[in-house]
Amino acid sequence: MRYFIELSYDGTAYHGWQIQPNGNSVQETLQRALSMLLREEIAVTGAGRTDAGVHAAMMVAHFDAAALPVPKVEARPQTACDYLVYRLNGILPNDIAIHRIYPVADDMHARFSARSRTYYYYIHTRKSPFLRDRSWRLVHTPDFEAMNRAAAMLLDFEDFTSFSKVNTDTKTNICHVTSARWVQLSDHEWRFEITADRFLRNMVRAIVGTLMEVGRGTLTLDGFREVIEQKNRSAAGDSVPARGLFLVEVKYS
């Protein structure tokens, strides 16, 4: 039977979501815990592949299992799915939290059945000991009004080759961005919010890095449009640090 699993994680200590040959990953950690509890080899497929150091306020994944462990009489809650959530949270490290497990149709796929994904990127301009692993600190405040005008242009395009890592196994660089904007959270905190049907590797961090050039005045609005039209990663700005990026929502039909 197929199950969806909803979880969150702090990506600081991991080499991303996907299993890596020489680094600890969230996927591998979750698979190992599930396989131990269910006493069978479990493969987990995520809705996306967050890079090293990127966080997830909500990741969705699926796995297939013959049966879930039967709750003990004294255990609370009593459903098999809730009991598995309880057991997983008891053995997983503190930087991974399981929120929900539920059965789905056999043809549901965490990645390919998803209709949209939303990412937030956080920045701050005042030194804070509490934001250093969750947000990117800037020394100077950029022009957010200009950056929002540039962000709106993303909705006019479908090919985002300029914001993708090169030499990936992706068959197409076509994405449909439905929302992109900067939101002020406080006098010294902002976040970039972007929603699309899919994202390319490194896409959000490359977009934010290029928007920062607009905010600093080193790239005009027309120049930002030309960056997208060139379909060339070398034309775009540098990728911003991973620590400010969060996957926050995955939606399904």
Side-chain angles (χ1 to χ4, degrees), residues 133-145:
D133 292 330
R134 308 285 188 277
S135 176
W136 181 36
R137 184 192 174 200
L138 301 180
V139 177
H140 302 291
T141 303
D143 184 344
F144 284 98
E145 184 177 344

Side-chain angles (χ1 to χ4, degrees), residues 25 44 69 71 93-94 197 245:
S25 71
V44 175
N94 290 331
D197 60 341
L245 185 59

Side-chain angles (χ1 to χ4, degrees), residues 7-188:
L7 65 148
S8 59
Y9 54 84
D10 180 332
T12 303
Y14 298 95
H15 287 71
W17 162 265
Q18 192 173 15
I19 293 176
Q20 303 292 329
N22 297 309
N24 193 25
S25 71
V26 180
Q27 183 185 30
E28 180 181 23
T29 304
L30 180 57
Q31 283 188 177
R32 187 166 55 242
L34 277 169
S35 297
M36 182 180 71
L37 290 177
L38 299 181
R39 299 182 181 180
E40 61 175 303
E41 198 66 30
I42 298 295
V44 175
T45 300
R49 297 183 296 184
T50 56
D51 292 335
V54 175
H55 315 293
M58 185 184 116
M59 168 64 86
V60 180
H62 77 251
F63 67 93
D64 297 326
L68 300 189
V70 178
K72 297 179 180 179
V73 174
E74 68 274 12
R76 294 291 186 271
Q78 287 293 305
T79 69
C81 286
D82 287 343
Y83 183 58
L84 182 56
V85 170
Y86 167 76
R87 293 290 306 278
L88 280 171
N89 281 326
I91 64 174
L92 285 168
N94 290 331
D95 51 13
I96 300 177
I98 308 302
H99 303 299
R100 186 181 173 210
I101 296 174
Y102 50 96
V104 296
D106 290 340
D107 61 350
M108 283 292 289
H109 195 284
R111 179 182 175 189
F112 297 124
S113 297
R115 292 292 178 261
S116 71
R117 299 156 174 85
T118 299
Y119 281 88
Y120 289 170
Y121 191 88
Y122 291 87
I123 66 170
H124 60 289
T125 56
R126 187 174 72 184
K127 186 176 181 180
S128 168
F130 307 110
L131 296 176
R132 66 187 188 277
D133 292 330
R134 308 285 188 277
S135 176
W136 181 36
R137 184 192 174 200
L138 301 180
V139 177
H140 302 291
T141 303
D143 184 344
F144 284 98
E145 184 177 344
M147 290 161 64
N148 259 331
R149 290 197 295 268
M153 296 180 186
L154 297 169
L155 279 64
D156 299 333
F157 293 89
E158 293 184 341
D159 192 321
F160 291 95
T161 302
S162 292
F163 302 124
S164 173
K165 278 188 176 180
V166 297
N167 301 322
T168 67
D169 57 0
T170 303
K171 295 181 179 179
T172 176
N173 289 336
I174 300 299
C175 307
H176 300 97
V177 177
T178 56
S179 176
R181 63 174 185 164
W182 286 93
V183 176
Q184 186 170 2
L185 305 177
S186 72
D187 290 342
H188 57 276

Side-chain angles (χ1 to χ4, degrees), residues 152-235:
M153 296 180 186
L154 297 169
L155 279 64
D156 299 333
F157 293 89
E158 293 184 341
D159 192 321
F160 291 95
T161 302
S162 292
F163 302 124
S164 173
K165 278 188 176 180
V166 297
N167 301 322
T168 67
D169 57 0
T170 303
K171 295 181 179 179
T172 176
N173 289 336
I174 300 299
C175 307
H176 300 97
V177 177
T178 56
S179 176
R181 63 174 185 164
W182 286 93
V183 176
Q184 186 170 2
L185 305 177
S186 72
D187 290 342
H188 57 276
E189 295 175 85
W190 289 261
R191 76 181 177 206
F192 178 60
E193 304 176 354
I194 184 167
T195 300
D197 60 341
R198 62 190 292 266
F199 287 90
L200 308 174
R201 289 193 63 189
N202 204 53
M203 178 173 163
V204 180
R205 292 165 60 197
I207 286 175
V208 174
T210 310
L211 288 173
M212 283 296 163
E213 294 190 356
V214 175
R216 296 185 185 112
T218 58
L219 182 67
T220 65
L221 293 174
D222 288 339
F224 183 80
R225 182 177 292 273
E226 291 172 2
V227 165
I228 305 175
E229 292 173 340
Q230 286 185 47
K231 301 176 185 178
N232 182 355
R233 179 64 184 91
S234 298

